[in-house]
Amino acid sequence: MSGVVTRMNAVLGASVDANQTMVEVVDPMALDIVFNVSPAEASRIQRGDTATVTSGEGTTAEALGPGV
């Protein structure tokens, strides 16, 4: 399985429940991002518009990639 570990709930040497999620792995190429926009902003968004997704704001923002 390929992907990125996003959460690790297991602790080395600890007991676990059979229903406990121990590790979450995601495919970073298949992320869905949900964000809120005002009604005015939403009226300007058209199908097929592009967006650049960043982590953080301003000059310290890290580009995560483009989206449509």
Side-chain angles (χ1 to χ4, degrees), residues 4-53:
V4 176
V5 175
T6 58
R7 184 175 303 166
M8 184 89 132
N9 296 323
V11 177
L12 186 61
S15 299
V16 295
D17 182 272
N19 297 316
Q20 177 183 350
T21 300
M22 297 181 65
V23 177
E24 281 186 16
V25 178
V26 299
D27 177 357
M29 301 307 291
L31 293 177
D32 288 330
I33 298 175
V34 178
F35 58 96
N36 295 316
V37 295
S38 71
E41 292 168 323
S43 68
R44 295 192 305 265
I45 299 171
Q46 302 295 317
R47 182 180 297 273
D49 283 351
T50 60
T52 300
V53 179

